[in-house]
Amino acid sequence: AQSVSQHNHHVILSEAASLELGCNYSYGGTVNLFWYVQYPGQHLQLLLKYFSGDPLVKGIKGFEAEFIKSKFSFNLRKPSVQWSDTAEYFCAVNVGGYNKLIFGAGTRLAVHP
Amino acid sequence: NAGVMQNPRHLVRRRGQEARLRCSPVKGHSHVYWYRQLPEEGLKFMVYLQKENIIDESGMPKERFSAEFPKEGPSILRIQQVVRGDSAAYFCASSNSGTGETEAFFGQGTRLTVV
């Protein structure tokens, strides 16, 4: 069965630090990959997505992610975090067909001023 | 432009009662997905509906849980005879297409607490 692993459950950073959140998936075929963010008290919002093409995708708010097929990874990065990036981040995949998403357990990021 | 609206935001039920969770998709969206998030876990797919039809209910528990998306009105996730293990956040998402490359928009969720 397909699964998604997020290695960091809690991350604490100071403002201006660089961020990298790991995401690995298990599926040998074609996948669509997503990162969602959930700010406190709000709904999940799409940060970025990868379907095909350039494996380095850029999303909103300065986030980017790189799809490395050989490593089954889709890590999220941001060069300099802000206090407003404090949120929970979810990696997700679907394996084509329709929009049935398989989520990782999430990473809670706390950014201190 | 209203997004996905879920209500109630918080729901408390005693064991054995029924819980009804409502989801109004983005206007014009005919595809609805329900997910459940247990504490310290990621969202787990429950069911996918497309106007009046259940397309995939592979994530739904076999008993006590049902979902519908009528021609008119919101989608409803119904949990009969709730138990403590049903306590979770339930999220609804909608999209305007059923393909895997379509963005799904999420609601804020309903947090169900069974006491």
Side-chain angles (χ1 to χ4, degrees):
Chain A
Q2 301 89 20
S3 65
V4 176
S5 297
Q6 290 183 243
H7 314 297
N8 315 101
H9 295 294
H10 298 274
V11 173
I12 301 173
L13 294 173
S14 298
E15 277 194 316
S18 64
L19 170 72
E20 181 160 3
L21 301 182
C23 172
N24 287 90
Y25 64 93
S26 64
Y27 183 70
T30 302
V31 293
N32 299 318
L33 297 152
F34 306 81
W35 275 98
Y36 281 86
V37 60
Q38 186 175 28
Y39 297 103
Q42 297 188 28
H43 58 278
L44 274 77
Q45 300 174 42
L46 183 65
L47 266 183
L48 47 77
K49 59 190 177 186
Y50 173 80
F51 298 147
S52 63
D54 188 344
L56 183 63
V57 291
K58 295 193 183 297
I60 60 171
K61 306 187 181 187
F63 286 89
E64 65 178 32
E66 185 175 12
F67 170 52
I68 303 180
K69 188 174 182 179
S70 60
K71 295 185 178 179
F72 299 90
S73 70
F74 190 55
N75 292 354
L76 181 71
R77 299 194 292 250
K78 185 170 184 178
S80 176
V81 294
Q82 301 171 316
W83 175 79
S84 58
D85 293 323
T86 294
E88 189 159 16
Y89 293 81
F90 294 93
C91 181
V93 306
N94 71 39
V95 294
Y98 51 87
N99 215 334
K100 176 181 176 179
L101 294 167
I102 301 164
F103 282 87
T107 298
R108 294 192 182 202
L109 171 66
V111 180
H112 292 169
Chain B
N1 187 15
V4 176
M5 304 300 292
Q6 290 187 248
N7 65 80
R9 291 288 310 279
H10 300 274
L11 182 61
V12 179
R13 284 287 177 265
R14 296 187 184 279
R15 281 178 294 171
Q17 290 184 319
E18 178 180 288
R20 290 171 69 89
L21 287 63
R22 285 176 288 278
C23 168
S24 296
V26 173
K27 188 175 180 181
H29 285 189
S30 59
H31 302 260
V32 165
Y33 312 80
W34 285 92
Y35 292 83
R36 176 167 65 174
Q37 184 181 28
L38 295 170
E40 303 302 317
E41 294 186 18
L43 283 75
K44 297 284 195 286
F45 170 82
M46 298 181 75
V47 62
Y48 164 39
L49 308 104
Q50 182 188 358
K51 273 303 181 183
E52 300 183 89
N53 296 306
I54 296 175
I55 308 300
D56 181 345
E57 56 181 348
S58 58
M60 288 278 271
K62 299 296 181 208
E63 296 177 347
R64 303 187 297 108
F65 284 71
S66 62
E68 63 178 14
F69 187 18
K71 188 176 180 180
E72 301 292 337
S75 175
I76 305 287
L77 179 68
R78 183 180 176 206
I79 311 172
Q80 295 178 291
Q81 299 175 325
V82 296
V83 301
R84 287 232 171 94
D86 297 332
S87 295
Y90 292 82
F91 291 91
C92 171
S94 75
S95 63
N96 62 5
S97 166
T99 65
E101 296 180 359
T102 306
E103 180 179 349
F105 294 82
F106 282 80
Q108 290 183 286
T110 294
R111 298 195 182 276
L112 172 66
T113 302
V114 179
V115 297

